[in-house]
Amino acid sequence: MESDFSRFSKLKDIRDVEILQELSPAEKKKEYIRQTGSSTAHRVGNVEVECAYGSMNLEKILADLICK
């Protein structure tokens, strides 16, 4: 049986993410999600976390992860 955490193995390590500074903030957010595979689950080395933000909108969630 597959565990609840099996999706983490598919995530890209955020240390390997490269985002062009020339992109607009909206494009940076889309690129981050495209490269990492998730807007709420993140992997850094062997550490895997999932951030739960309740009813916050995606823009506010990603603002926590990406400096504008």
Side-chain angles (χ1 to χ4, degrees):
M1 182 161 78
E2 192 174 26
S3 76
D4 290 340
F5 298 102
S6 63
R7 69 181 175 273
F8 285 115
S9 64
K10 300 172 187 164
L11 296 174
K12 181 177 182 179
D13 190 322
I14 64 171
R15 296 175 297 176
D16 298 329
V17 172
E18 292 185 24
I19 299 175
L20 297 174
Q21 293 301 310
E22 295 81 26
L23 297 175
S24 70
E27 291 169 321
K28 287 179 182 178
K29 293 170 193 169
K30 289 178 186 176
E31 183 62 14
Y32 177 84
I33 293 170
R34 185 190 68 75
Q35 287 190 42
T36 61
S38 176
S39 63
T40 59
H42 311 282
R43 185 168 69 88
V44 182
N46 293 329
V47 177
E48 300 163 338
V49 297
E50 184 160 19
C51 302
Y53 289 89
S55 62
M56 288 177 65
N57 74 27
L58 183 59
E59 185 171 323
K60 289 182 181 181
I61 293 168
L62 292 176
D64 289 347
L65 302 171
I66 301 172
C67 296
K68 290 187 178 183

